[in-house]
C-alpha cells in the first residue's frame, strides 16, 4: 500500500476508474446531503485502492429491487445506507451485527464469500466517539434523542451499551410514537439503561440533546426543539451533514450552550466502514490521523473548531 501522507490530501487527485474498480453505492432518498463519497473517494485515491463510492437516490418503494439488482453485478461489493433506508434494508439481509439487531437498522451492507448479504451499523459507534472528541459527558446523564429512525436508534443502542459510561436514561421523541416506542423497547430489552418514548420534544431536564431527525435539512424547517427550554450546562449535537451550523446549533450557541455539528459522527466511524469492507490497512491509517478528513468536510465557518489529533 502506498505511503502517501494525508497532509497532501487536498492536492491528491481522484484515481481513474477502470474495469477492475470495486464499486460501492451509498443509497438514500435524498442523497444531496451525503458527505461520505467526498471522504472515502479521497481515501481510496490517497492509498491507491481501486474502488469508488457513488451516491444513488432510490425511492423507498424501489429499495428491495435495487439491492437485488445491484448485487447481481459482481463488481458491486457493498452499500453504504442512509436515510430513510437504514431500517428497511434489514429485509434484504441474511445476517447482521448484534448492535444492528438491537437498533433495528444498518448503514453498511457487504456481500460475503458465499454470496449472502451481511449488515453492520456504525452510526452509534461514531457518535459515541464524537462525544469524546467534543468532551461531552454522557455517563449517568439523561439523554433526549429527537427522531427514532435508523441513525437515532443506532445512537441510542451504542450509548446504552457503553458500559460504565452509559447514560442513566435515553428518551426518544418522534412524530411516530410507535417508532419511538419500538426503539426504546429494543434498548430496554437489551441493556440496563432506562429507555422510553418521550411525550414531547421538550428538552428541559436533559443534559444531552441529540437532533437525529431530518429537521434542518430545509431552510423552512422548524427547530427540532425549543432551545430556550434547554437546561443551563446542557449540550446539543445535531447529526445533520448539511447546512451546518444548522439553525438549532446556532440557537443553542447563542444561549452560550455547547452545540456541535454532526460531521464527527461520520469521521469517527470511517475506520469502521473500512474494516467492515476489508480495507484494514486503510482503517488503521484513519485511526492514526483523520484530521485531513475534517479539513476536507468542515465548512470554512467551522474550520477553526477542528481539534487537531495528529
Amino acid at each position: 500500500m502506498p505511503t502517501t501522507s494525508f497532509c497532501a490530501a487536498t492536492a491528491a487527485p481522484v484515481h481513474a476508474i477502470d474495469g477492475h474498480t470495486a464499486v460501492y453505492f451509498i443509497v438514500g432518498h435524498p442523497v444531496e446531503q451525503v458527505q461520505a463519497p467526498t471522504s472515502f473517494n479521497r481515501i481510496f485515491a490517497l492509498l491507491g485502492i481501486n474502488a469508488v463510492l457513488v451516491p444513488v437516490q432510490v425511492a423507498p418503494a424501489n429499495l428491495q429491487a435495487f439491492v437485488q439488482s445491484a448485487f447481481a453485478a459482481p463488481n458491486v461489493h457493498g452499500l453504504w445506507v442512509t436515510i430513510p433506508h437504514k431500517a428497511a434494508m434489514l429485509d434484504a439481509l441474511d445476517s447482521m451485527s448484534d448492535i444492528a439487531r438491537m437498533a433495528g437498522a444498518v448503514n453498511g451492507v457487504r456481500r460475503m464469500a458465499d454470496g449472502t448479504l451481511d449488515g453492520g451499523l456504525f452510526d452509534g459507534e461514531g457518535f459515541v466517539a464524537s462525544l469524546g472528541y467534543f468532551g461531552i459527558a454522557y455517563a449517568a446523564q439523561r439523554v433526549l434523542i429527537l427522531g427514532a429512525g435508523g441513525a437515532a436508534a443506532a445512537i441510542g443502542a451504542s450509548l446504552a451499551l457503553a458500559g460504565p459510561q452509559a447514560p442513566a436514561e435515553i428518551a426518544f421523541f418522534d412524530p411516530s410514537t410507535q417508532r419511538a416506542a419500538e426503539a426504546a423497547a429494543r434498548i430496554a430489552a437489551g441493556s440496563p439503561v432506562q429507555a422510553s418514548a418521550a411525550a414531547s420534544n421538550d428538552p428541559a431536564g436533559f443534559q444531552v440533546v441529540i437532533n437525529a431527525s431530518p429537521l434542518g435539512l430545509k431552510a423552512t424547517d422548524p427547530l427540532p426543539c425549543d432551545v430556550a427550554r434547554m437546561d443551563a450546562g446542557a449540550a446539543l449535537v445535531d447529526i445533520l451533514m448539511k447546512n451546518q451550523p444548522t439553525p438549532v446549533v446556532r440557537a443553542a450557541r447563542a444561549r452560550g450552550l455547547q452545540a456541535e455539528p454532526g460531521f464527527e459522527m461520520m469521521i469517527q466511524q470511517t475506520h469502521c466502514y473500512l474494516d467492515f469492507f476489508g480495507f484494514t490497512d486503510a482503517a488503521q491509517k484513519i485511526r492514526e490521523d483523520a484530521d485531513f478528513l475534517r479539513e476536507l468536510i468542515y465548512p470554512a465557518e467551522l474550520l477553526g473548531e477542528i481539534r487537531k489529533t495528529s
Side-chain angles (χ1 to χ4, degrees), residues 146-148 173-180 213-215:
L146 301 166
F173 172 77
D174 193 273
S176 169
T177 55
Q178 179 180 348
R179 185 161 67 168
S213 79
L215 294 177

Side-chain angles (χ1 to χ4, degrees), residues 126-310:
F127 182 84
V128 171
S130 78
L131 294 181
Y133 177 83
F134 291 127
I136 296 175
Y138 57 92
Q141 303 294 300
R142 299 185 72 227
V143 176
L144 174 64
I145 302 177
L146 301 166
I155 290 167
S158 289
L159 287 170
L161 295 175
Q165 296 299 310
E169 178 186 348
I170 299 171
F172 293 90
F173 172 77
D174 193 273
S176 169
T177 55
Q178 179 180 348
R179 185 161 67 168
E182 289 172 351
R186 286 193 299 267
I187 288 174
S191 78
V193 173
Q194 180 182 341
S196 63
S200 75
N201 62 347
D202 184 3
F206 292 93
Q207 290 78 49
V208 181
V209 178
I210 303 159
N211 180 36
S213 79
L215 294 177
L217 285 176
K218 299 177 182 178
T220 55
D221 285 341
L223 294 186
C225 68
D226 182 357
V227 172
R229 295 277 299 164
M230 287 180 65
D231 291 4
L236 178 142
V237 181
D238 186 342
I239 72 168
L240 292 181
M241 296 291 122
K242 185 180 178 183
N243 301 330
Q244 290 286 0
T246 56
V248 73
V249 169
R250 293 181 187 275
R253 289 183 173 187
R255 278 202 56 206
L257 303 176
Q258 182 176 6
E260 306 291 357
F263 303 120
E264 280 302 318
M265 184 178 82
M266 184 183 72
I267 291 168
Q268 298 283 349
Q269 64 182 298
T270 299
H271 64 87
C272 301
Y273 273 106
L274 292 169
D275 273 330
F276 182 72
F277 289 117
F279 302 117
T280 54
D281 290 344
Q284 182 56 36
K285 287 183 177 292
I286 297 301
R287 286 188 185 93
E288 295 167 357
D289 178 11
D291 284 340
F292 85 101
L293 291 177
R294 297 182 177 98
E295 293 166 358
L296 191 64
I297 293 169
Y298 273 56
E301 181 178 350
L302 299 176
L303 283 175
E305 298 182 11
I306 294 174
R307 298 160 171 80
K308 295 290 185 179
T309 58
S310 60

Side-chain angles (χ1 to χ4, degrees), residues 22-60:
V23 177
Y24 296 85
F25 294 124
I26 178 166
V27 183
H29 185 72
V31 292
E32 289 87 351
Q33 78 283 0
V34 298
Q35 296 284 341
T38 301
S39 300
F40 285 96
N41 287 326
R42 187 56 56 91
I43 291 169
F44 295 152
L46 283 167
L47 298 181
I49 297 170
N50 192 2
V52 64
L53 177 60
V54 180
V56 181
Q57 183 163 324
V58 179

Side-chain angles (χ1 to χ4, degrees), residues 48-118:
I49 297 170
N50 192 2
V52 64
L53 177 60
V54 180
V56 181
Q57 183 163 324
V58 179
N62 300 325
L63 179 63
Q64 302 303 323
F66 173 82
V67 173
Q68 185 176 6
S69 297
F71 281 109
N75 64 325
V76 174
H77 290 239
L79 304 176
W80 273 245
V81 187
T82 189
I83 57 171
H85 300 319
K86 294 180 181 184
M89 186 63 72
L90 270 61
D91 292 337
L93 303 180
D94 301 293
S95 60
M96 69 190 75
S97 65
D98 289 341
I99 196 165
R101 188 170 287 104
M102 174 186 280
V106 295
N107 64 349
V109 179
R110 60 185 174 183
R111 191 208 320 262
M112 305 300 284
D114 62 0
T116 59
L117 299 183
D118 179 56

